[in-house]
Amino acid sequence: MLKIVIVRRELGLSKRIALSLTSIALCLAVSALIIYAITGSTNVVFAAFTSFVDLNTLRYLGTLTVIALGLCIAYRAKLWNLGADGQLVIGAILATWFALYTPLCSSSMGIVLGLVVAALGGMAWSFIAIALRIWIGVNEALATLLLNYVAYYLANHLVEGPWRGVAVHGYPETDLIPRACWIPCVRGYSFSPYIVAMALLLTVLIHVIVKRTRFGLAVKALGTGEALVELSGISAKKVALLAFLMSGALAGLAGGIELFEVQRKLILGTKFSAGLGFTAIIVAWLAQLEPLLVPLVSYFVGALLLMMVGIQIAGAGVGDAVAQVIVGVLLVSTLVSNFFVNYRMKIVKVKGVKL
Amino acid sequence: MIERFLNPLALALTLAVLGDVVVERSGVLNLAIDGLFVLCVAVTFSVFVATSSPIMALIAVLACGAVLAVVMSMLINVFLANHVLAGLAMNMVCYGIATIVGTRFLGRALPTSLYMDTVTIGVVVALSTALTWLLLYRTSFGVALRACGYNPRNAEALGIDVGRTRLVAMLLGYELIALGAFVYLASYVGTWSAGLGTGWGFLALSLAIASLWHPVLAPILATSFAALYVSMVEIQTHPIRIGSVVIKMSPAMVSAIPFVAALVLVSILYATPLRRIVSPPRALGEPYFREERTL
């Protein structure tokens, strides 16, 4: 009798890379097929793929990189921060408050200060979840998921009520933030070189923190087992707290960036975040939690998102939905390819054993 | 008063929470529940509108649940994918497909709304609760299922096929959740817009965890939440007056209440000895690798 057996294995780097590329190619093929199925035109498929050489992709690179870098730290510690979306919204809420309701915005350091406020907001929001985890033992994946919804509804409450703008004709959104708070974009494009530069700098910084510091090592150890950290004389709670707060702060910072660079006003919570916090989770894992790979993957996923905006303009009307399916399929194919990296299937002959 | 607890929303939520209890008791962290719920809602709507037949919609939604259970089980049990990531990926795919499927019939109304009276709802809630409890605590399969969630290695040593048990648990659980989505659309909402149902799956998940995965506690919490939710809509329109204090809440704040309450409840339950009374599935979310056998 033949039987399939699954065996663990270690693959070399070149084979790992080959498998990753295969899963990416598979995903692209699937997305091309989906676009073709919806629009029925090969021209649209080709037009869609130009997003990979469109500089507007850099707008997604900035935001996704910043969030995913933070998530890399949390996930290395095996802390499931699924709340980047909510932390982003809270960051944006605080940045909106800063821009609209304090006079500090017009000062020379206005934008920087606003981004710091946003980061602190995201950090505070993530603190709730990690505090419940450390001191009570509530699963942090669950807590962050629930807190996302609280954050969305908080934003909705503000834009539908107290913060609704006077010049928006009843739409649920605030007025535009003052021009002094706008991060200038390159003429004709929707991205700012400052944000891209900041994202790349942060990449290097997080890489150094993760690979070259005692804290980075402690985070890695925490991911392996709590006892390991405690045995080396470091408080596991402190490491967990710090790692989680860093991921929250970076997500909050991304909220500030989205507000100052792209949206320039607060809108309904889920619309504002547009699922970027969840997309960043996928970015972090596609990058194998390696900070240096994060900008590359962000660019790739950003191009996919931009591609779908293009399709929407082309008239399919369900661009966002298609984008979700494709990014989801991308993650599924990565998960499956990870299986083939770590395990081998072999067929063995089993002699007729009767149990 | 009783009809407030036994409204269609309560039934939908109860079924979804019970389904989640069955899935998670087998050790599968069920984050895909939100995508499943949203997709099943969209499928119910589309098939109901297209065929004008609730039976066809019911068959379609059950098929949808079964397919997703098999796909998720493949990812988790065969490809040993991380439960959180597999769940999130499935969610994204399902949200997307739901929008694509539902948008074709956007703006159309259901031919008939499925009305259910309080007694029917009460009977269905009681019956599904009792059956789930019997399955989990009074059958050998239920014991095997819970063993897989508590310690899959030991379960295997006792001769239980963990992969197969988890697959059956997911099939059963997903069908219950799909039924919940069917009731949610056909009896409670009655119309569809893009993204309808988002968040309800996660709410069901959090209620299941808040009830510590116990099939008798779960419907109590679910119906209470449904009652709270339905009453909240009234509080909005008729502000409660306590003495001179007027409680007036915005719709957004009301919508946030279940999520805050779930978080508070989970925290309370975890912080008190209640946690030890109902032994939760300890191996929840652990991918289980059987290792190579020399047979």
Side-chain angles (χ1 to χ4, degrees), chain A:
Chain A
M1 191 187 129
L2 289 176
K3 205 177 168 193
I4 298 169
V5 180
I6 296 165
V7 194
R8 269 186 223 270
R9 70 168 166 193
E10 291 281 328
L11 263 193
L13 186 67
S14 57
K15 281 185 181 162
R16 274 171 175 266
I17 292 173
L19 262 170
S20 301
L21 290 179
T22 313
S23 74
I24 286 173
L26 202 75
C27 160
L28 287 181
V30 169
S31 45
L33 272 176
I34 295 177
I35 298 168
Y36 183 73
I38 287 180
T39 59
S41 136
T42 44
N43 286 341
V44 177
V45 177
F46 286 122
F49 275 89
T50 56
S51 74
F52 282 95
V53 288
D54 189 333
L55 282 180
N56 277 325
T57 300
L58 294 174
R59 164 241 185 288
Y60 288 110
L61 179 128
T63 317
L64 287 176
T65 303
V66 171
I67 308 173
L69 283 173
L71 294 179
C72 279
I73 304 176
Y75 295 162
R76 276 173 170 265
K78 285 257 167 66
L79 291 168
W80 289 102
N81 183 2
L82 304 184
D85 227 38
Q87 288 143 17
L88 181 146
V89 169
I90 295 293
I93 289 175
L94 281 184
T96 309
W97 167 79
F98 176 85
L100 285 178
Y101 298 97
T102 65
L104 292 166
C105 198
S106 46
S107 66
S108 56
M109 293 296 280
I111 291 176
V112 176
L113 219 63
L115 290 179
V116 170
V117 169
L120 287 176
M123 198 158 139
W125 203 244
S126 67
F127 177 75
I128 304 173
I130 193 65
L132 288 176
R133 160 69 196 258
I134 292 179
W135 288 296
I136 305 183
V138 175
N139 183 324
E140 76 282 1
L142 172 85
T144 46
L145 263 180
L146 290 178
L147 284 169
N148 277 345
Y149 286 91
V150 182
Y152 299 149
Y153 288 124
L154 189 61
N156 292 1
H157 168 72
L158 288 171
V159 297
E160 282 166 358
W163 285 9
R164 181 177 292 200
V166 281
V168 296
H169 308 295
Y171 282 103
E173 52 191 45
T174 62
D175 285 324
L176 283 176
I177 57 172
R179 277 209 170 251
C181 269
W182 291 22
I183 298 176
C185 286
V186 177
R187 188 179 289 272
Y189 290 97
S190 58
F191 74 95
S192 154
Y194 301 112
I195 297 301
V196 175
M198 189 179 83
L200 296 179
L201 269 177
L202 273 173
T203 307
V204 177
L205 182 71
I206 301 290
H207 173 76
V208 171
I209 289 177
V210 165
K211 299 277 166 150
R212 295 268 182 276
T213 63
R214 228 170 108 82
F215 170 71
L217 197 65
V219 163
K220 196 178 169 192
L222 186 62
T224 323
E226 209 166 281
L228 222 62
V229 184
E230 294 280 352
L231 276 176
S232 62
I234 305 170
S235 160
K237 280 182 184 172
K238 260 188 207 160
V239 175
L241 191 68
L242 202 56
F244 209 80
L245 290 184
M246 281 174 89
S247 72
L250 284 172
L253 175 65
I257 293 172
E258 278 287 297
L259 181 78
F260 291 161
E261 185 198 25
V262 185
Q263 306 283 358
R264 285 163 184 168
K265 63 190 172 196
L266 191 64
I267 50 179
L268 292 175
T270 42
K271 262 190 171 175
F272 188 95
S273 73
L276 284 174
F278 284 104
T279 311
I281 297 175
I282 292 168
V283 170
W285 284 99
L286 284 178
Q288 310 275 341
L289 305 187
E290 289 290 340
L292 287 183
L293 285 180
V294 166
L296 275 176
V297 178
S298 295
Y299 189 88
F300 177 75
V301 173
L304 282 179
L305 293 179
L306 192 67
M307 181 197 276
M308 296 311 144
V309 177
I311 295 173
Q312 202 146 32
I313 295 167
V318 284
D320 279 347
V322 180
Q324 277 179 324
V325 174
I326 288 176
V327 176
V329 169
L330 178 63
L331 184 56
V332 171
S333 66
T334 311
L335 290 173
V336 175
S337 84
N338 264 352
F339 168 78
F340 287 108
V341 167
N342 295 320
Y343 301 93
R344 184 161 59 94
M345 278 175 153
K346 66 175 182 186
I347 297 170
V348 292
K349 265 189 193 156
V350 183
K351 282 176 198 154
V353 182
K354 280 195 181 142
L355 289 173

Side-chain angles (χ1 to χ4, degrees), chain B residues 43-58 60 105 108 111:
Chain B
V43 165
T44 307
F45 171 75
S46 309
V47 178
F48 206 154
V49 168
T51 64
S52 325
S53 146
I55 306 294
M56 286 306 286
L58 191 63
F105 302 95
R108 305 259 297 266

Side-chain angles (χ1 to χ4, degrees), chain B residues 53-104:
Chain B
S53 146
I55 306 294
M56 286 306 286
L58 191 63
I59 292 169
V61 86
L62 289 178
C64 174
V67 168
L68 275 174
V70 171
V71 171
M72 272 309 278
S73 160
M74 279 287 282
L75 279 177
I76 286 172
N77 296 326
V78 179
F79 292 119
L80 307 172
N82 182 297
H83 292 202
V84 173
L85 289 176
L88 282 182
M90 281 310 289
N91 271 350
M92 290 198 93
V93 174
C94 288
Y95 292 151
I97 297 178
T99 307
I100 295 168
V101 167
T103 306
R104 282 168 187 265

Side-chain angles (χ1 to χ4, degrees), chain B residues 156-207:
Chain B
E156 187 89 46
L158 290 174
I160 297 165
D161 186 332
V162 176
R164 195 176 301 161
T165 310
R166 284 186 172 176
L167 171 65
V168 176
M170 285 170 85
L171 276 170
L172 285 174
Y174 275 37
E175 294 299 30
L176 276 173
I177 297 164
L179 272 179
F182 176 81
V183 174
Y184 175 80
L185 187 98
S187 297
Y188 177 66
V189 184
T191 172
W192 187 85
S193 57
L196 181 75
T198 315
W200 285 98
F202 283 139
L203 182 70
L205 174 86
S206 52
L207 285 172

